[in-house]
PDB file of all heavy atoms in Angstrom:
ATOM      1  N   LEU A 343       5.012  18.023  -0.160  1.00  0.00           N
ATOM      2  CA  LEU A 343       5.321  17.764  -1.563  1.00  0.00           C
ATOM      3  C   LEU A 343       4.945  16.342  -1.950  1.00  0.00           C
ATOM      4  O   LEU A 343       4.325  16.094  -2.984  1.00  0.00           O
ATOM      5  CB  LEU A 343       6.812  18.002  -1.815  1.00  0.00           C
ATOM      6  CG  LEU A 343       7.327  17.743  -3.232  1.00  0.00           C
ATOM      7  CD1 LEU A 343       6.650  18.686  -4.220  1.00  0.00           C
ATOM      8  CD2 LEU A 343       8.837  17.890  -3.305  1.00  0.00           C
ATOM      9  N   ILE A 344       5.299  15.379  -1.098  1.00  0.00           N
ATOM     10  CA  ILE A 344       4.991  13.983  -1.380  1.00  0.00           C
ATOM     11  C   ILE A 344       3.491  13.766  -1.461  1.00  0.00           C
ATOM     12  O   ILE A 344       2.976  13.054  -2.328  1.00  0.00           O
ATOM     13  CB  ILE A 344       5.597  13.067  -0.289  1.00  0.00           C
ATOM     14  CG1 ILE A 344       7.129  13.110  -0.361  1.00  0.00           C
ATOM     15  CG2 ILE A 344       5.120  11.624  -0.460  1.00  0.00           C
ATOM     16  CD1 ILE A 344       7.799  12.494   0.824  1.00  0.00           C
ATOM     17  N   GLN A 345       2.772  14.397  -0.545  1.00  0.00           N
ATOM     18  CA  GLN A 345       1.315  14.259  -0.548  1.00  0.00           C
ATOM     19  C   GLN A 345       0.713  14.768  -1.848  1.00  0.00           C
ATOM     20  O   GLN A 345      -0.162  14.155  -2.437  1.00  0.00           O
ATOM     21  CB  GLN A 345       0.706  15.035   0.625  1.00  0.00           C
ATOM     22  CG  GLN A 345      -0.173  14.159   1.483  1.00  0.00           C
ATOM     23  CD  GLN A 345      -0.758  14.932   2.642  1.00  0.00           C
ATOM     24  OE1 GLN A 345      -0.507  16.123   2.843  1.00  0.00           O
ATOM     25  NE2 GLN A 345      -1.569  14.263   3.410  1.00  0.00           N
ATOM     26  N   ASN A 346       1.229  15.895  -2.330  1.00  0.00           N
ATOM     27  CA  ASN A 346       0.720  16.471  -3.569  1.00  0.00           C
ATOM     28  C   ASN A 346       1.034  15.583  -4.759  1.00  0.00           C
ATOM     29  O   ASN A 346       0.248  15.471  -5.694  1.00  0.00           O
ATOM     30  CB  ASN A 346       1.319  17.862  -3.808  1.00  0.00           C
ATOM     31  CG  ASN A 346       0.781  18.877  -2.826  1.00  0.00           C
ATOM     32  OD1 ASN A 346      -0.322  18.716  -2.303  1.00  0.00           O
ATOM     33  ND2 ASN A 346       1.559  19.924  -2.554  1.00  0.00           N
ATOM     34  N   LEU A 347       2.206  14.931  -4.734  1.00  0.00           N
ATOM     35  CA  LEU A 347       2.615  14.109  -5.863  1.00  0.00           C
ATOM     36  C   LEU A 347       1.951  12.743  -5.882  1.00  0.00           C
ATOM     37  O   LEU A 347       1.639  12.204  -6.939  1.00  0.00           O
ATOM     38  CB  LEU A 347       4.144  13.904  -5.839  1.00  0.00           C
ATOM     39  CG  LEU A 347       5.002  15.142  -6.079  1.00  0.00           C
ATOM     40  CD1 LEU A 347       6.471  14.765  -6.024  1.00  0.00           C
ATOM     41  CD2 LEU A 347       4.680  15.772  -7.418  1.00  0.00           C
ATOM     42  N   GLN A 348       1.727  12.172  -4.716  1.00  0.00           N
ATOM     43  CA  GLN A 348       1.295  10.785  -4.658  1.00  0.00           C
ATOM     44  C   GLN A 348      -0.205  10.595  -4.646  1.00  0.00           C
ATOM     45  O   GLN A 348      -0.689   9.494  -4.860  1.00  0.00           O
ATOM     46  CB  GLN A 348       1.894  10.095  -3.420  1.00  0.00           C
ATOM     47  CG  GLN A 348       3.395   9.903  -3.520  1.00  0.00           C
ATOM     48  CD  GLN A 348       3.919   9.044  -2.388  1.00  0.00           C
ATOM     49  OE1 GLN A 348       3.222   8.789  -1.410  1.00  0.00           O
ATOM     50  NE2 GLN A 348       5.145   8.582  -2.517  1.00  0.00           N
ATOM     51  N   HIS A 349      -0.961  11.646  -4.417  1.00  0.00           N
ATOM     52  CA  HIS A 349      -2.408  11.486  -4.323  1.00  0.00           C
ATOM     53  C   HIS A 349      -3.108  12.317  -5.375  1.00  0.00           C
ATOM     54  O   HIS A 349      -2.791  13.483  -5.578  1.00  0.00           O
ATOM     55  CB  HIS A 349      -2.890  11.879  -2.924  1.00  0.00           C
ATOM     56  CG  HIS A 349      -2.307  11.016  -1.856  1.00  0.00           C
ATOM     57  ND1 HIS A 349      -2.737   9.737  -1.611  1.00  0.00           N
ATOM     58  CD2 HIS A 349      -1.290  11.238  -0.989  1.00  0.00           C
ATOM     59  CE1 HIS A 349      -2.026   9.216  -0.623  1.00  0.00           C
ATOM     60  NE2 HIS A 349      -1.132  10.108  -0.232  1.00  0.00           N
ATOM     61  N   SER A 350      -4.060  11.724  -6.016  1.00  0.00           N
ATOM     62  CA  SER A 350      -4.823  12.431  -7.038  1.00  0.00           C
ATOM     63  C   SER A 350      -5.686  13.496  -6.385  1.00  0.00           C
ATOM     64  O   SER A 350      -6.122  13.347  -5.247  1.00  0.00           O
ATOM     65  CB  SER A 350      -5.721  11.445  -7.779  1.00  0.00           C
ATOM     66  OG  SER A 350      -4.957  10.434  -8.353  1.00  0.00           O
ATOM     67  N   PRO A 351      -6.001  14.566  -7.096  1.00  0.00           N
ATOM     68  CA  PRO A 351      -6.898  15.579  -6.552  1.00  0.00           C
ATOM     69  C   PRO A 351      -8.278  15.001  -6.310  1.00  0.00           C
ATOM     70  O   PRO A 351      -8.702  14.076  -6.996  1.00  0.00           O
ATOM     71  CB  PRO A 351      -6.959  16.631  -7.681  1.00  0.00           C
ATOM     72  CG  PRO A 351      -5.773  16.358  -8.544  1.00  0.00           C
ATOM     73  CD  PRO A 351      -5.491  14.903  -8.411  1.00  0.00           C
ATOM     74  N   ALA A 352      -8.966  15.524  -5.297  1.00  0.00           N
ATOM     75  CA  ALA A 352     -10.310  15.046  -5.002  1.00  0.00           C
ATOM     76  C   ALA A 352     -11.229  15.351  -6.169  1.00  0.00           C
ATOM     77  O   ALA A 352     -11.189  16.428  -6.740  1.00  0.00           O
ATOM     78  CB  ALA A 352     -10.835  15.732  -3.735  1.00  0.00           C
ATOM     79  N   VAL A 353     -12.058  14.380  -6.526  1.00  0.00           N
ATOM     80  CA  VAL A 353     -12.965  14.539  -7.643  1.00  0.00           C
ATOM     81  C   VAL A 353     -14.374  14.733  -7.105  1.00  0.00           C
ATOM     82  O   VAL A 353     -14.924  13.872  -6.436  1.00  0.00           O
ATOM     83  CB  VAL A 353     -12.912  13.295  -8.561  1.00  0.00           C
ATOM     84  CG1 VAL A 353     -13.890  13.461  -9.708  1.00  0.00           C
ATOM     85  CG2 VAL A 353     -11.503  13.089  -9.075  1.00  0.00           C
ATOM     86  N   VAL A 354     -14.954  15.879  -7.384  1.00  0.00           N
ATOM     87  CA  VAL A 354     -16.258  16.209  -6.842  1.00  0.00           C
ATOM     88  C   VAL A 354     -17.379  15.679  -7.713  1.00  0.00           C
ATOM     89  O   VAL A 354     -18.403  15.222  -7.244  1.00  0.00           O
ATOM     90  CB  VAL A 354     -16.394  17.745  -6.693  1.00  0.00           C
ATOM     91  CG1 VAL A 354     -17.774  18.116  -6.191  1.00  0.00           C
ATOM     92  CG2 VAL A 354     -15.314  18.278  -5.770  1.00  0.00           C
ATOM     93  N   THR A 355     -17.160  15.697  -9.036  1.00  0.00           N
ATOM     94  CA  THR A 355     -18.229  15.352  -9.964  1.00  0.00           C
ATOM     95  C   THR A 355     -18.400  13.859 -10.173  1.00  0.00           C
ATOM     96  O   THR A 355     -19.341  13.424 -10.805  1.00  0.00           O
ATOM     97  CB  THR A 355     -17.947  15.994 -11.324  1.00  0.00           C
ATOM     98  OG1 THR A 355     -16.719  15.456 -11.848  1.00  0.00           O
ATOM     99  CG2 THR A 355     -17.835  17.500 -11.204  1.00  0.00           C
TER     100      THR A 355
END
Side-chain angles (χ1 to χ4, degrees):
L343 179 62
I344 293 168
Q345 235 180 359
N346 290 334
L347 293 180
Q348 291 188 347
H349 298 284
S350 302
V353 179
V354 177
T355 62

